[in-house]
Amino acid sequence: MYSGMTPKALEWQKKIRKFVNDELIPWEVHAEKNDGDLPKDIEKKHRDIAISLGLPGMGISKESGGLGLNMFEQMIIWEQLGRVTNALCWCFSEAQDWMEENFNDFQKENYLKPLLNGTKKECYAITEKGAGSDVDGSIETTAEKKGDQYIINGEKWYVTSANLADFFFLQAKIKSGENKDKHSLFIIDKDTEGIELIDTPKFSHTYAHHHSIYRFNNVSIPSKNIIGNEGIGMDYTHSWFRHERLGIAARCCGAAERLIDEATIFAKERESFGDKISNYQAIQFMLADCVNELASTRLMLYEICKAHDSNQDVKILHGKCSMIKLLASEMANKIADRAVQIFGGRGYMRENVAERYYRELRVDRIWEGTSEIHRIIIANSLYKRGLKSLIE
Ligand SMILES: Cc1cc2nc3c(=O)[nH]c(=O)nc-3n(C[C@H](O)[C@H](O)[C@H](O)COP(=O)(O)OP(=O)(O)OC[C@H]3O[C@@H](n4cnc5c(N)ncnc54)[C@H](O)[C@@H]3O)c2cc1C
């Protein structure tokens, strides 16, 4: 349906679809029944395949050891990875283009390269107890320069994958000096003295990746661990947000495709009142709405990726990433709800793919900016730059 599809993107789509179908999907129910965990040899197998495919460096240039794929090709991959539940697609760490552009030589050697070859894993510590949606205004974690060290103090909430990670990207405000209160982004090794695990709350989904709370007590790190300069941390966070928001939208499209496929197969087999339920209009209407919503969302996702690849103004792109994150996450949640309904009682069983997506997709309307925050970003972009900039 999409006129901009390319042979290269189709090739990636096919390759990743096979990986997801043959290797990841068969382990979903095991993960669900075992707190998200897989046998160690299977976990290693998945990671090795992902690394051999080059997935940790999708958007990193070939000169730096990546695949050099454009955003459209990367999102074709993430869309396929979204077709598996229980976060089994998070079997590799992803280095992003903003890291390649902004890391100093020390950081490239000690963090970018290990991300690419799978020997180190990252996590992001931005949110705090009092700073969720209002990242910019309310962060209280501080970084104080002392000689050639920064001293970090604060508490970070919901640090996804920190239990499996080797280092944090941590956002803090500079404590004193000419950049006082300005945001900066730091890399902190997880084994640094003063890092305290406070709590590992349970969440709706069943993932091996936890979302724990950490306290940083006078954590001393070398000043070469600041990314770029003091005061521009929010720029990197915005780059990361844009990438993640597209990634969430792509995974939501993949999830929606899987849900429609599975619900259709079931509807064609299941009999009630002497007929297949697929022959009842109530079921047909639900499936038809799902198809339409997925098809239109995917088109918008692909067009926004293309806008990204043609270097559209970053402020306009920021608004567009909010548009697609909002649309795709709400679309996928609606489709999961309908899929549970089509499966009937089976759709409420944890063994069932619709039940798992019903829980798992809910957070896509919350993390990387809530749906309300994305509506605010879109409205602000509309007021500042006009409707044309957002829809053309
Ligand atoms: C499972 C999980 C994993 C996460 N992983 C990470 C991670 O790895 N790293 C990280 O840094 N963070 C992470 N987060 C944090 C996540 O990004 C925040 O939860 C999210 O940004 C919302 O912040 P909050 O929870 O503090 O909600 P709040 O900001 O307190 O919002 C509460 C409600 O108020 C609404 N609201 C707030 N402000 C406005 C407004 N101006 N107008 C209208 N409505 C408003 C919100 O939309 C929401 O409905 C994770 C969260 C979860 C649940």
Side-chain angles (χ1 to χ4, degrees), residues 134-147:
D134 182 16
V135 172
D136 213 344
S138 302
I139 278 183
E140 288 182 352
T141 297
T142 56
E144 186 176 17
K145 187 93 191 274
K146 281 201 172 158

Side-chain angles (χ1 to χ4, degrees), residues 126 131-139 171 173 181 183 234 238:
I126 299 172
S133 300
D134 182 16
V135 172
D136 213 344
S138 302
I139 278 183
Q171 190 154 332
K173 283 183 176 170
D181 291 335
H183 286 264
M234 208 60 213
H238 279 151

Side-chain angles (χ1 to χ4, degrees), residues 98-148:
W98 64 269
M99 300 176 193
E100 184 182 12
E101 286 156 21
N102 297 290
F103 276 13
N104 59 31
D105 289 344
F106 168 78
Q107 293 161 0
K108 280 185 180 158
E109 195 56 37
N110 289 283
Y111 300 99
L112 183 63
K113 275 190 190 169
L115 280 180
L116 291 174
N117 65 28
T119 52
K120 278 190 185 172
K121 175 154 186 61
E122 86 297 7
C123 61
Y124 288 79
I126 299 172
T127 301
E128 299 177 4
K129 186 175 184 183
S133 300
D134 182 16
V135 172
D136 213 344
S138 302
I139 278 183
E140 288 182 352
T141 297
T142 56
E144 186 176 17
K145 187 93 191 274
K146 281 201 172 158
D148 64 353

Side-chain angles (χ1 to χ4, degrees), residues 282-293:
I283 301 293
Q284 290 170 350
F285 284 11
M286 280 197 273
L287 287 171
D289 285 345
C290 291
V291 172
N292 256 2
E293 287 163 24

Side-chain angles (χ1 to χ4, degrees), residues 275-314:
D275 201 356
K276 305 282 185 202
I277 63 165
S278 57
N279 291 328
Y280 296 127
Q281 278 193 342
I283 301 293
Q284 290 170 350
F285 284 11
M286 280 197 273
L287 287 171
D289 285 345
C290 291
V291 172
N292 256 2
E293 287 163 24
L294 170 59
S296 50
T297 306
R298 255 167 59 124
L299 282 178
M300 187 159 134
L301 170 68
Y302 293 169
E303 287 297 345
I304 291 175
C305 290
K306 287 278 172 176
H308 194 287
D309 291 330
S310 51
N311 292 323
Q312 198 172 47
D313 178 83
V314 79

Side-chain angles (χ1 to χ4, degrees), residues 3-20:
S3 61
M5 188 53 82
T6 62
K8 188 175 171 190
L10 277 177
E11 201 180 306
W12 274 108
Q13 187 184 60
K14 199 171 149 197
K15 219 187 290 188
I16 303 304
R17 196 177 184 87
K18 185 170 165 43
F19 172 47
V20 170

Side-chain angles (χ1 to χ4, degrees), residues 165-352:
D166 300 283
F167 65 92
F168 296 87
F169 287 109
L170 177 137
Q171 190 154 332
K173 283 183 176 170
I174 299 296
K175 193 165 182 188
S176 56
E178 57 177 332
N179 292 317
K180 187 175 180 317
D181 291 335
K182 289 190 180 162
H183 286 264
S184 298
L185 195 63
F186 299 89
I187 297 176
I188 307 183
D189 291 320
K190 209 176 97 184
D191 58 5
T192 312
E193 204 181 324
I195 299 176
E196 188 187 350
L197 173 64
I198 300 295
D199 191 19
T200 299
K202 291 280 184 194
F203 290 83
S204 300
H205 53 221
T206 316
Y207 287 6
H209 299 250
H210 302 157
H211 316 281
S212 302
I213 300 173
Y214 284 85
R215 193 170 296 145
F216 295 76
N217 306 298
N218 289 315
V219 174
S220 179
I221 56 166
S223 51
K224 62 187 173 193
N225 277 31
I226 187 171
I227 302 175
N229 299 318
E230 287 187 357
I232 51 173
M234 208 60 213
D235 293 354
Y236 306 132
T237 299
H238 279 151
S239 297
W240 179 62
F241 280 167
R242 281 191 295 280
H243 192 96
E244 287 301 307
R245 287 166 187 174
L246 288 176
I248 287 172
R251 289 199 295 277
C252 282
C253 286
E257 184 193 335
R258 171 104 187 271
L259 283 161
I260 298 170
D261 278 343
E262 301 261 7
T264 305
I265 292 168
F266 178 77
K268 284 181 169 178
E269 284 169 358
R270 178 72 179 161
E271 286 189 12
S272 172
F273 294 96
D275 201 356
K276 305 282 185 202
I277 63 165
S278 57
N279 291 328
Y280 296 127
Q281 278 193 342
I283 301 293
Q284 290 170 350
F285 284 11
M286 280 197 273
L287 287 171
D289 285 345
C290 291
V291 172
N292 256 2
E293 287 163 24
L294 170 59
S296 50
T297 306
R298 255 167 59 124
L299 282 178
M300 187 159 134
L301 170 68
Y302 293 169
E303 287 297 345
I304 291 175
C305 290
K306 287 278 172 176
H308 194 287
D309 291 330
S310 51
N311 292 323
Q312 198 172 47
D313 178 83
V314 79
K315 291 205 165 78
I316 296 174
L317 279 177
H318 205 74
K320 287 185 171 176
C321 288
S322 283
M323 285 165 66
I324 192 60
K325 197 275 192 178
L326 170 67
L327 185 74
S329 60
E330 303 228 339
M331 174 274 303
N333 273 271
K334 270 190 274 179
I335 289 180
D337 184 80
R338 291 188 197 117
V340 169
Q341 203 64 19
I342 291 170
F343 277 107
R346 289 167 178 76
Y348 202 60
M349 293 164 68
R350 285 186 170 215
E351 281 85 351
N352 186 288

